[in-house]
Amino acid sequence: MAVYSSVVSKLELAADVPEDAHLGAHHVKGNDGKTIKFQNPHPSAGDPPGSIIMTSARILWSMVTGEASRPDTSDVKIPAVKPEFLKTRTSSTVLRATWLGHACYFVEFPSGLRVLFDPVFEDRCAPVQWFGPKRYSPPPCALSDLPAVDAVIISHSHYDHLSHTSVQELARRHPKAHFFVGLGLEKWFHDSGITNVTEMDWWQDADLVLQREKHQDEEKTAPDTISARISCLPCQHSSGRSHRDQNHTLWASWAVKSGEKSVWFGGDTGYRRVPRVPLGVDDYGPEYDSLPRCPQFTQIGRLRGPFDLGLIPIGAYKPRWLFSWMHANPYDAVEIFKDTRCHRAMGIHWGTWVLTSEDVEEPPRLLKQALKTSGIPETGVFDVCAIGETREFPTVTQTSV
């Protein structure tokens, strides 16, 4: 197997960024002028949420009143298969993406680049493994089954996206892998003993160059050099691993381009804040269609798109009045898909842990309805797949919508 060393060059803000990018409206600065927290800068997020204690109280009250309930996972039939990764870096001429559950995807580029997004392989997405959301869909493989990993991209610090145990094992098994994270998270990685890390702000780019170490055993066909452009991009969410560090680190979506292929990773995001809506009323109907939408996805599509593949969240959205500002439902996801100018997309952020009150198998059903409403084919454009399944994405010469 060919072994690569990496060099990362973080770039200054390019010319092709929104006019307000230099203002840093998502930074909350203290009296000394230094950033101490982050915020969602657009009306689509609504007023800042209360404390984590207040949010927990709202969730508990919605369960007491019957508005929200824990969905049944006793007979879940989300399909799963054992992943099949490429045996060599140049075994395929198309982009390959393998869903490893929730928001975790392993993407193999035709250039030879291998990128892992939001790896969490633990049983529970929580500070401890004896309490908190427990998997109802096991991982389709172990971390030890992954081939060489070149880059690990973390969307934000919530436990269902960032696992201390998983990243430490990845760093041990793949010591040359480079981690890309939002502002403020570099220290957390250093404290975890991981030094190959680059933290970035929205609209910053970094160039990743992999150079083959020729003294190592080699794949004869492996390229000498593999390069990629990594872009940290906005989304609408929050961060925190306890009540003490809420929004102290930056949440982000990410774009990766290597060779002629590009992927946009939505991570975890909302699209617009929806108020309490009467049961059975469409919150995209005439009364609510004018609610502010997050403008950052259109900016991403215009300035960094189009993308060959979008990995877009579709789950953890009920009750809508409580979670819509930070979690997209399938109708939001389809709008994000169109805004970001993705040719194809796969749904993420569902099928693994119970985080909210919708039926765990509802997101794919609702996605088909949302696609139909937008006049997009129900299959072949924006899909879901079995956990562990690999999809291939050949070159597209024109947008799908």
Side-chain angles (χ1 to χ4, degrees):
M1 179 180 294
V3 177
Y4 289 80
S5 57
S6 64
V7 175
V8 175
S9 303
K10 190 161 65 171
L11 310 178
E12 297 300 320
L13 286 183
D16 54 341
V17 299
E19 294 179 359
D20 60 354
H22 295 276
L23 300 177
H26 56 296
H27 292 234
V28 180
K29 296 183 178 180
N31 294 332
D32 60 357
K34 296 181 179 180
T35 297
I36 57 173
K37 292 181 71 174
F38 299 93
Q39 66 182 359
N40 294 294
H42 297 288
S44 54
D47 295 329
S51 68
I52 190 171
I53 296 174
M54 183 182 298
T55 300
S56 299
R58 288 174 175 170
I59 295 172
L60 180 61
W61 180 248
S62 66
M63 295 179 70
V64 169
T65 60
E67 182 180 8
S69 60
R70 181 177 174 82
D72 182 15
T73 61
S74 62
D75 192 32
V76 174
K77 294 183 174 63
I78 296 173
V81 298
K82 185 174 178 58
E84 295 184 5
F85 304 110
L86 294 176
K87 290 182 170 55
T88 66
R89 291 179 181 268
T90 54
S91 300
S92 177
T93 59
V94 299
L95 185 70
R96 301 176 87 249
T98 304
W99 186 36
L100 301 179
H102 199 56
C104 183
Y105 250 92
F106 185 77
V107 178
E108 298 164 292
F109 288 78
S111 67
L113 181 73
R114 292 159 168 170
V115 181
L116 183 63
F117 295 93
D118 279 5
V120 180
F121 280 69
E122 281 63 60
D123 195 33
R124 296 182 187 269
C125 56
V128 294
Q129 285 300 297
W130 52 267
F131 182 77
K134 181 179 173 61
R135 280 182 181 268
Y136 57 85
S137 296
C141 66
L143 277 172
S144 58
D145 296 324
L146 297 179
V149 177
D150 302 313
V152 181
I153 291 179
I154 304 295
S155 63
H156 66 296
S157 67
H158 286 159
Y159 285 95
D160 56 323
H161 297 261
L162 175 58
S163 158
H164 184 266
T165 302
S166 288
V167 298
Q168 281 199 316
E169 183 176 348
L170 279 165
R172 179 174 61 83
R173 292 183 177 277
H174 307 278
K176 296 182 182 297
H178 202 91
F179 291 79
F180 293 88
V181 303
L183 287 182
L185 267 177
E186 185 177 65
K187 182 180 183 302
W188 185 92
F189 276 80
H190 285 174
D191 290 345
S192 301
I194 300 171
T195 57
N196 293 344
V197 57
T198 297
E199 69 173 25
M200 297 167 66
D201 198 358
W202 289 350
W203 297 107
Q204 273 191 323
D205 301 314
D207 284 336
L208 171 66
V209 178
L210 306 178
Q211 191 69 41
R212 191 174 69 179
E213 298 180 356
K214 295 187 177 181
H215 64 279
Q216 301 283 348
D217 292 336
E218 305 172 6
E219 298 170 19
K220 291 183 179 180
T221 60
D224 289 336
T225 302
I226 300 171
S227 60
R229 170 66 56 87
I230 314 291
S231 299
C232 179
L233 298 169
C235 66
Q236 183 171 288
H237 200 58
S238 66
S239 68
R241 295 175 74 79
S242 74
H243 69 279
R244 297 187 301 272
D245 68 342
Q246 294 299 294
N247 300 335
H248 285 198
T249 61
L250 185 62
W251 49 95
S253 68
W254 296 82
V256 180
K257 182 174 183 180
S258 184
E260 299 301 317
K261 294 294 185 179
S262 58
V263 173
W264 179 70
F265 175 63
D268 198 354
T269 186
Y271 188 60
R272 42 181 210 142
R273 184 184 284 270
V274 176
R276 289 182 182 269
V277 173
L279 188 64
V281 174
D282 179 10
D283 62 50
Y284 271 100
E287 186 177 353
Y288 301 100
D289 189 51
S290 61
L291 290 173
R293 304 183 181 205
C294 184
Q296 296 167 315
F297 301 106
T298 298
Q299 294 171 344
I300 290 169
R302 176 169 54 87
L303 297 171
R304 292 293 185 273
F307 302 99
D308 294 287
L309 173 64
L311 303 173
I312 303 177
I314 63 171
Y317 49 80
K318 283 184 178 178
R320 285 279 276 163
W321 66 268
L322 186 56
F323 292 106
S324 60
W325 71 273
M326 65 182 300
H327 285 163
N329 79 351
Y331 282 87
D332 298 327
V334 170
E335 296 305 306
I336 292 171
F337 167 71
K338 294 187 291 186
D339 288 352
T340 52
R341 298 174 64 204
C342 295
H343 294 307
R344 298 276 303 280
M346 299 299 295
I348 63 172
H349 205 258
W350 74 283
T352 307
W353 290 287
V354 171
L355 302 176
T356 49
S357 64
E358 75 273 6
D359 177 78
V360 297
E361 295 177 283
E362 180 183 277
R365 297 196 300 266
L366 211 58
L367 177 61
K368 288 184 178 293
Q369 296 176 22
L371 291 166
K372 184 177 181 180
T373 298
S374 285
I376 301 172
E378 295 180 29
T379 58
V381 178
F382 189 162
D383 292 324
V384 297
C385 67
I387 297 176
E389 182 179 351
T390 299
R391 293 288 180 95
E392 295 188 343
F393 301 91
T395 300
V396 177
T397 57
Q398 60 183 7
T399 57
S400 302
V401 294

